[in-house]
């Protein structure tokens, strides 16, 4: 996804310096910083959730990973 973002003029030289030190591009430095921030916020949100909401989220994630194309017969499902 391509987005245009206004960046403060004081930050640009700092980004260029970090990119030069890491032998990377400014774009990669910004992407890395945003990824870390998003991960931090997700962890922060997960830590503030009550246990029942964490369980619900885990179940939702498992259900999203399930293979919806395979079918189990009724006999196999209720077989003792």
């Amino acid at each position: 996804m391509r987005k245009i973002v206004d960046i403060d003029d004081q930050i640009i030289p700092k980004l260029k310096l970090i990119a030069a030190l890491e032998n990377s591009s400014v774009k990669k430095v910004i992407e890395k910083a945003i990824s870390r921030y998003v991960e931090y916020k997700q962890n922060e949100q997960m830590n503030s959730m009550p246990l029942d909401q964490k369980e619900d989220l885990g179940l939702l994630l498992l259900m999203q990973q399930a293979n919806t194309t395979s079918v189990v017969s009724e006999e196999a499902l209720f077989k003792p």
Side-chain angles (χ1 to χ4, degrees):
M1 179 185 313
R2 192 166 183 84
K3 296 287 180 182
I4 297 174
V5 180
D6 290 331
I7 299 175
D8 188 7
D9 290 337
Q10 294 176 345
I11 295 177
I12 293 174
K14 294 175 186 178
L15 288 170
K16 288 181 180 180
L17 177 63
I18 293 170
L21 292 173
E22 291 186 359
N23 197 21
S24 184
S25 67
V26 173
K27 178 184 175 193
K28 294 275 184 196
V29 171
I30 293 172
E31 289 172 350
K32 191 175 180 181
I34 291 170
S35 295
R36 285 187 181 176
Y37 180 75
V38 168
E39 184 179 330
Y40 168 77
K41 285 307 225 180
Q42 286 174 336
N43 287 337
E44 188 178 83
Q45 186 176 14
M46 282 293 293
N47 291 336
S48 68
M49 270 188 197
L51 182 61
D52 59 335
Q53 285 183 345
K54 287 180 185 178
E55 291 172 349
D56 291 344
L57 181 61
L59 181 59
L60 174 67
L61 294 174
L62 284 173
M63 289 172 62
Q64 288 176 342
Q65 293 175 1
N67 184 359
T68 57
T69 58
S70 65
V71 178
V72 176
S73 70
E74 186 176 343
E75 292 173 6
L77 183 63
F78 294 108
K79 190 175 185 180

